Amino acid sequence: MNKFKIQQWLHQYPLFKKLISLEEVFWINPKLENFQTGIKKVKFGLEDVLEAQKRLQRFAPYIAKAFPETQAANGIIESPLVEITEMQHKLVREYQIPQLGKWLLKCDSHLPISGSIKARGGIYEVLKYAEDLAMKHKMLTLEDDYSILDSDRFRNFFSQYSIAVGSTGNLGLSIGIISAKLGFKVTVHMSLDAKQWKKDLLRSKNVNVIEYDSDYSQAVAEGRKQAQTDSSCYFIDDENSHDLFLGYAVAALRLKKQLDELTIQVDQNHPLFVYLPCGVGGGPGGVAFGLKLIFQDHVHCFFAEPTHSPSMLLGLMTGLHEQISVQDVEIDNITDADGLAVGRPSGFVGKTIEPFLSGCYTVSDEQLFILLKDLADIEGIHLEPSALAGMAGPGKLFKEGLGYLQEQKLTEQMSQATHIIWATGGSMVPKEILAHYYMRGNQFL
Ligand SMILES: *Cc1c(COP(=O)(O)O)cnc(C)c1O
């Protein structure tokens, strides 16, 4: 373990001991910069996110036709933003924090097609690949009505190509469902954490599922290796993909519109706090990046990870990013929050988001299950365990983040603040499994 300077870090980083003891921590990112200086370090900008949004718009007629559940929204895959006043009251009492500002839940758990945040980046990257292929072969132009893709002609064409991805479950669901629908041959490399129902569902849709008895990072590595041996295979690289990242970032443009509709302001006097469950980093990273582009210094983004899988936090704290895994500091990466069971973070995302992220915190599995039960009881909203990591955010901010609020000169504004808890998955979980999760929450009370 000499390679990783555990002794040194114990002195250098006040939270390191708690982190490796699997205690919950709340960490403020010392490398946060103001937006104008931070953005100079990044090679993407708003124009890239707008381009991704336009591409999704082009595909909307296809999506509406191929997935009738999206017809009402004209083929735009989007989720509701809802107030959770009762849940806020309950947690304010429980955490003994001030009853300040408005709490909203961003229900990516209820995104159509695949029921998780992966229906953003994952589906976007497959659509982009399909568009590139079809245009290269002169089968599609920018002016076409993309609903023509829902035809045997296109399905036959795409069937010459294959797509592969490594996943703890939800990315596999997104990529598998959309790829199979378009006609691609698709293989999902599933880590040990992946739930059986996700594998069964994919197999029922003609997706080739390969199972590993190792964790996410190894499933990805194996998938990447196999894809390299086949030149007709496109590998969706969750750890490094810029397309995934930009697909996720489009969420921010949509969220801005939803906030406008609710007449919620975001400015100097109305700060916005956003709490995002983090696995490898692409989903929360893309969303946070998009939000910074739009709200700049008025939005404050926090990533949430399980105490047993704090990979992004470890990568950011030590500055080692993808060069370090939680296993390197003897953390086991075993959690029931399967969407977050990632031991090694994306270096691409960590380095991109570093100037923009306010902080990270960790949550125990026990807390996730308790919050899962509370949200079901109080608001009637059923989520998977990973999706509750954001819910602990406001409590932690008020209890442990007062220094941050002072430093940012936000103390006075907190009564006008908005807190968005990003609920990242759950609507596709089978009823009996939801019931089992709910029971786990009961056991801890
Ligand atoms: C994948 C996932 C996340 C985190 O996204 P990453 O891109 O892996 O960081 C959060 N919640 C759920 C339910 C997920 O499936």
Side-chain angles (χ1 to χ4, degrees), residues 212-348:
Y212 295 87
D213 51 15
S214 53
D215 87 346
Y216 164 86
S217 307
Q218 278 156 301
V220 171
E222 198 52 46
R224 190 186 285 121
K225 203 166 87 195
Q226 287 188 24
Q228 272 163 0
T229 64
D230 176 359
S231 63
S232 68
C233 183
Y234 180 77
F235 182 68
I236 298 203
D237 193 334
D238 199 13
E239 291 174 326
N240 300 297
S241 169
H242 297 186
D243 289 335
L244 269 178
F245 189 80
L246 292 171
Y248 286 122
V250 172
L253 304 171
R254 312 258 185 85
L255 186 79
K256 165 85 173 89
K257 233 173 107 193
Q258 289 180 317
L259 287 171
D260 288 345
E261 282 161 13
L262 294 171
T263 65
I264 292 175
Q265 280 170 272
V266 179
D267 56 32
Q268 189 98 41
N269 294 316
H270 302 82
L272 174 63
F273 295 85
V274 184
Y275 308 94
L276 296 142
C278 180
V280 73
V287 171
F289 179 68
L291 289 168
K292 291 303 277 194
L293 287 173
I294 293 174
F295 299 115
Q296 306 198 354
D297 295 327
H298 307 315
V299 64
H300 306 268
C301 300
F302 291 88
F303 286 177
E305 296 180 294
T307 49
H308 284 253
S309 306
S311 55
M312 187 56 80
L313 172 47
L314 185 66
L316 288 167
M317 184 188 273
T318 60
L320 289 178
H321 298 292
E322 82 286 4
Q323 305 295 324
I324 191 166
S325 74
V326 300
Q327 289 93 343
D328 291 332
V329 295
E330 278 150 44
I331 298 176
D332 59 13
N333 190 31
I334 293 175
T335 167
D336 277 307
D338 49 316
L340 312 180
V342 174
R344 188 182 297 280
S346 160
F348 154 63

Side-chain angles (χ1 to χ4, degrees), residues 82-372:
V82 301
E83 278 195 47
I84 45 166
T85 317
E86 294 307 312
M87 185 72 177
Q88 177 179 8
H89 289 326
K90 154 108 186 165
L91 293 184
V92 158
R93 272 197 311 275
E94 211 162 278
Y95 298 151
Q96 300 180 314
I97 57 172
Q99 169 76 41
L100 292 178
K102 194 189 277 294
W103 293 22
L104 300 167
L105 191 70
K106 179 60 177 160
C107 301
D108 274 9
S109 46
H110 292 70
L111 279 173
I113 302 183
S114 67
S116 81
I117 190 171
K118 306 298 191 311
R120 298 184 183 278
I123 289 178
Y124 174 72
E125 181 158 358
V126 174
L127 296 178
K128 178 165 189 284
Y129 177 59
E131 185 183 60
D132 288 347
L133 278 176
M135 285 189 173
K136 208 165 94 195
H137 289 80
K138 309 252 180 290
M139 295 173 69
L140 188 70
T141 70
L142 287 178
E143 287 70 43
D144 282 328
D145 175 337
Y146 279 26
S147 63
I148 58 173
L149 273 80
D150 187 31
S151 62
D152 287 338
R153 176 167 165 260
F154 275 95
R155 280 185 287 272
N156 286 333
F157 169 66
F158 291 131
S159 72
Q160 308 164 69
Y161 300 90
S162 57
I163 289 178
V165 67
S167 173
T168 62
N170 285 339
L171 186 63
L173 275 188
S174 279
I175 305 283
I177 293 171
I178 186 71
S179 303
K181 193 66 136 192
L182 282 159
F184 288 106
K185 292 203 266 305
V186 50
T187 300
V188 177
H189 300 267
M190 287 279 203
S191 66
L192 179 66
D193 327 273
K195 302 292 183 225
Q196 189 60 43
W197 69 266
K198 293 182 184 173
K199 301 177 200 169
D200 295 342
L201 180 73
L202 282 174
R203 288 191 171 119
S204 78
K205 294 184 188 288
N206 270 327
V207 173
N208 180 25
V209 177
I210 303 181
E211 299 175 57
Y212 295 87
D213 51 15
S214 53
D215 87 346
Y216 164 86
S217 307
Q218 278 156 301
V220 171
E222 198 52 46
R224 190 186 285 121
K225 203 166 87 195
Q226 287 188 24
Q228 272 163 0
T229 64
D230 176 359
S231 63
S232 68
C233 183
Y234 180 77
F235 182 68
I236 298 203
D237 193 334
D238 199 13
E239 291 174 326
N240 300 297
S241 169
H242 297 186
D243 289 335
L244 269 178
F245 189 80
L246 292 171
Y248 286 122
V250 172
L253 304 171
R254 312 258 185 85
L255 186 79
K256 165 85 173 89
K257 233 173 107 193
Q258 289 180 317
L259 287 171
D260 288 345
E261 282 161 13
L262 294 171
T263 65
I264 292 175
Q265 280 170 272
V266 179
D267 56 32
Q268 189 98 41
N269 294 316
H270 302 82
L272 174 63
F273 295 85
V274 184
Y275 308 94
L276 296 142
C278 180
V280 73
V287 171
F289 179 68
L291 289 168
K292 291 303 277 194
L293 287 173
I294 293 174
F295 299 115
Q296 306 198 354
D297 295 327
H298 307 315
V299 64
H300 306 268
C301 300
F302 291 88
F303 286 177
E305 296 180 294
T307 49
H308 284 253
S309 306
S311 55
M312 187 56 80
L313 172 47
L314 185 66
L316 288 167
M317 184 188 273
T318 60
L320 289 178
H321 298 292
E322 82 286 4
Q323 305 295 324
I324 191 166
S325 74
V326 300
Q327 289 93 343
D328 291 332
V329 295
E330 278 150 44
I331 298 176
D332 59 13
N333 190 31
I334 293 175
T335 167
D336 277 307
D338 49 316
L340 312 180
V342 174
R344 188 182 297 280
S346 160
F348 154 63
V349 173
K351 289 167 202 164
T352 305
I353 207 69
E354 193 155 51
F356 304 114
L357 191 68
S358 295
C360 296
Y361 62 84
T362 58
V363 194
S364 70
D365 277 24
E366 181 179 324
Q367 279 306 313
L368 295 178
F369 280 115
I370 292 172
L371 291 166
L372 182 149

Side-chain angles (χ1 to χ4, degrees), residues 33-50:
E33 296 182 32
N34 64 43
F35 177 77
Q36 294 303 342
T37 57
I39 196 66
K40 297 203 180 89
K41 299 188 171 159
V42 182
K43 55 181 169 199
F44 313 111
L46 188 58
E47 61 285 1
D48 301 296
V49 184
L50 290 169

